[in-house]
Amino acid sequence: MNKEAKVADALPTEQKVFSEPTLRRLPLYHHYLKQLMADGVTSTSCPQIALALNLNPIQVKKDLECTALTGKPKVGYSVDELAGAIENFLGWNNTAEAFLIGAGHLGAALLGYQGFKDYGLDIIAAFDVDPAKIGTTINGKKIFPLKKFPELARRMGIKIGILTVPSAQAQELANLMVESGITAIWNFAPARISMPAGIAVQHENLASSLAVLSKKINKNNTEEFGHGQ
Amino acid sequence: MNKEAKVADALPTEQKVFSEPTLRRLPLYHHYLKQLMADGVTSTSCPQIALALNLNPIQVKKDLECTALTGKPKVGYSVDELAGAIENFLGWNNTAEAFLIGAGHLGAALLGYQGFKDYGLDIIAAFDVDPAKIGTTINGKKIFPLKKFPELARRMGIKIGILTVPSAQAQELANLMVESGITAIWNFAPARISMPAGIAVQHENLASSLAVLSKKINKNNTEEFGHGQ
DNA sequence: TAGATTGTTAATCGATTAACAATC
DNA sequence: TAGATTGTTAATCGATTAACAATC
């Protein structure tokens, strides 16, 4: 019995929750660890990771508590173990299957992105209402008519839905997903969708990111030239 | 002279900084205001916006301080004015031109996304090293050889660069952008890039979002079934 | 050993939320 | 007027950062 199991026995109900900023940083650490592995490096430390990613070393340490690994003072952690522990924590080693609705530009891009497999996600099919797209294959993934979604999702036990549709249709199609047994929705429409409790929703909003970038630009300009916006 | 100008005169150096979470919510408000406008609604309030977007009304009020608008007690704000003030604050009414490097799946999707114009961004050309892509047009945008980037960026005074390349090339091409006069980079590669001070960088990381979604799913499951992960 | 890093607890900082007077 | 919302200041909450003993 390993250490993790012992801790789990001792505290069966106490499950530490990690903040969203922490969760968002874990893939960055993992990416760096993979780089180290490719370079043949076998151990690393929080200060080293922090230096490479331009983060605070103590923050890195706090974040890595989620792995429940024990490091060696002065040495750090095994790169291999650490990468594996992050994958394990994020559930990247048991792949989940997903359906996508909306085979437009963005939908097609996601269908063609090979990296998702590494993150435990496999988009196995897409759905659309456009007769020109139905029956075709985009980036190796077959496009089905939207009306087949509920039946196929139920039959295949799909739990993750990806929404890449115009915002006007987002709420309606999210509802369809939930009625079809989907319990987690990754929403790329520039509109919030509201869902019943128990349904996980992750909003991806390019307008939000662009707003942050715009303001960063303004900030740099005003600092540089020394006057208000 | 309007109120904003007066405030700017009175406090020329004091420029209130708004938090990143606030900036990310502004486009959501704007989107809802546009909906109201389409429905012919002329005024709205923070509680109404909060209800529609499932947010805290006081948070909405705090966020809208960035507009420097004065609302009417019991009535709220003019939908039209509020939408305009947000556009103004985010700089969406003076369009900025951008170059994109990496005309793969994701790059093509961004080239084809019509919505950016509304957010003050115009991607006017893309660059790639693939001879099969160079000279072609993807979603109406011409693809140029990468080696033309510095000259064209300089000549056209382009300040925004969008990176949609594999992570192995991200840092190198970000450097090229900066050498070509780019001062803001929107990075879609799943790798952090480090930049000199004064260069604005916005990282877009699907792996991070997926990490958050995965954990939301786990959380719901453990709550539902009442045991640890 | 000396020194760097871990592990953990405490302090700080900033965002969110609450409180309340002013006002239409 | 009564009541809802604004504008603004204070309190809370949580994430980040600091401090420090333990240890290899």
Side-chain angles (χ1 to χ4, degrees):
Chain A
M1 186 186 273
N2 63 19
K3 193 162 192 176
E4 275 175 278
K6 257 187 273 174
V7 171
D9 284 349
L11 309 162
T13 53
E14 228 178 277
Q15 189 176 343
K16 208 169 173 183
V17 169
F18 293 89
S19 73
E20 190 161 321
T22 292
L23 297 176
R24 295 194 73 91
R25 282 188 295 266
L26 291 176
L28 304 179
Y29 304 152
H30 185 265
H31 185 261
Y32 177 63
L33 292 167
K34 283 285 175 186
Q35 273 188 303
L36 290 180
M37 281 166 79
D39 295 345
V41 179
T42 56
S43 75
T44 189
S45 68
C46 295
Q48 187 183 12
I49 295 171
L51 187 69
L53 300 175
N54 204 23
L55 296 169
N56 181 312
I58 295 133
Q59 185 173 59
V60 175
K61 259 212 73 303
K62 262 270 141 94
D63 289 345
L64 293 182
E65 281 176 9
C66 72
T67 64
L69 287 181
T70 312
K72 281 192 179 60
K74 188 160 179 180
V75 179
Y77 303 86
S78 150
V79 171
D80 213 51
E81 261 180 50
L82 197 50
I86 291 175
E87 288 164 22
N88 189 51
F89 178 76
L90 293 176
W92 285 359
N93 20 24
N94 24 3
T95 301
E97 294 179 329
F99 275 178
L100 180 147
I101 296 183
H105 289 309
L106 184 58
L110 296 181
L111 290 175
Y113 183 51
Q114 300 303 312
F116 285 140
K117 274 179 280 179
D118 299 331
Y119 308 144
L121 186 76
D122 187 10
I123 309 175
I124 55 175
F127 297 80
D128 206 296
V129 289
D130 183 354
K133 283 173 187 155
I134 292 167
T136 66
T137 296
I138 297 182
N139 292 326
K141 307 292 168 68
K142 212 168 169 189
I143 315 299
F144 294 94
L146 180 63
K147 63 172 188 279
K148 289 254 186 175
F149 186 95
E151 185 204 332
L152 283 172
R154 287 271 178 216
R155 197 165 71 200
M156 301 183 70
I158 304 295
K159 296 297 171 194
I160 300 177
I162 302 174
L163 259 185
T164 47
V165 299
S167 43
Q169 281 104 65
Q171 182 67 57
E172 181 194 346
L173 292 172
N175 294 344
L176 177 77
M177 284 182 166
V178 173
E179 287 159 18
S180 309
I182 295 287
T183 59
I185 295 177
W186 201 4
N187 176 33
F188 287 79
R192 286 262 166 137
I193 53 178
S194 58
M195 288 282 114
I199 306 295
V201 181
Q202 181 66 19
H203 290 277
E204 208 67 43
N205 196 331
L206 292 184
S208 290
S209 298
L210 201 44
V212 177
L213 184 63
S214 305
K215 277 292 151 182
K216 281 184 187 167
I217 294 172
N218 284 352
K219 191 165 157 272
N220 283 347
N221 287 345
T222 53
E223 275 168 8
E224 201 174 325
F225 302 117
H227 54 67
Q229 67 178 43
Chain B
M1 185 185 272
N2 62 21
K3 192 161 190 175
E4 275 175 278
K6 257 187 276 174
V7 171
D9 284 348
L11 308 162
T13 52
E14 227 178 274
Q15 189 178 343
K16 207 168 172 185
V17 169
F18 292 88
S19 71
E20 190 161 323
T22 291
L23 297 176
R24 294 194 74 90
R25 282 188 296 264
L26 291 175
L28 303 180
Y29 304 152
H30 186 265
H31 185 261
Y32 176 63
L33 292 167
K34 283 286 176 188
Q35 273 187 304
L36 290 180
M37 282 166 78
D39 295 347
V41 178
T42 56
S43 75
T44 188
S45 67
C46 296
Q48 187 184 11
I49 295 170
L51 188 70
L53 300 175
N54 204 23
L55 296 169
N56 182 311
I58 295 134
Q59 185 172 60
V60 175
K61 259 212 75 303
K62 263 271 141 93
D63 288 346
L64 293 183
E65 281 176 10
C66 71
T67 64
L69 286 182
T70 313
K72 282 194 179 58
K74 188 161 178 179
V75 179
Y77 304 85
S78 149
V79 171
D80 215 51
E81 263 180 50
L82 197 50
I86 291 174
E87 288 164 21
N88 189 51
F89 178 78
L90 292 176
W92 286 359
N93 19 24
N94 26 0
T95 300
E97 295 179 327
F99 275 178
L100 179 147
I101 296 183
H105 290 308
L106 184 57
L110 296 181
L111 289 175
Y113 182 51
Q114 300 303 312
F116 287 139
K117 275 179 280 178
D118 300 330
Y119 308 143
L121 187 76
D122 188 10
I123 310 175
I124 56 176
F127 297 80
D128 207 295
V129 288
D130 183 355
K133 283 173 187 155
I134 293 167
T136 65
T137 296
I138 297 182
N139 294 324
K141 308 292 168 66
K142 212 168 169 191
I143 314 300
F144 294 94
L146 179 63
K147 63 171 185 283
K148 289 257 186 172
F149 186 95
E151 185 204 331
L152 283 173
R154 286 271 177 216
R155 198 164 71 200
M156 302 185 70
I158 304 295
K159 297 297 171 195
I160 300 177
I162 302 174
L163 259 185
T164 46
V165 299
S167 42
Q169 281 104 64
Q171 182 67 56
E172 182 194 345
L173 292 172
N175 294 346
L176 176 77
M177 284 182 167
V178 173
E179 287 158 19
S180 310
I182 294 287
T183 58
I185 295 177
W186 202 3
N187 175 33
F188 287 79
R192 286 262 164 136
I193 52 177
S194 57
M195 287 283 114
I199 305 294
V201 180
Q202 181 66 20
H203 291 276
E204 208 65 44
N205 196 330
L206 292 183
S208 290
S209 298
L210 202 43
V212 177
L213 184 63
S214 304
K215 277 293 153 183
K216 282 183 185 166
I217 295 172
N218 284 353
K219 191 165 157 271
N220 283 346
N221 287 346
T222 52
E223 274 167 8
E224 200 176 324
F225 303 118
H227 55 66
Q229 65 179 50

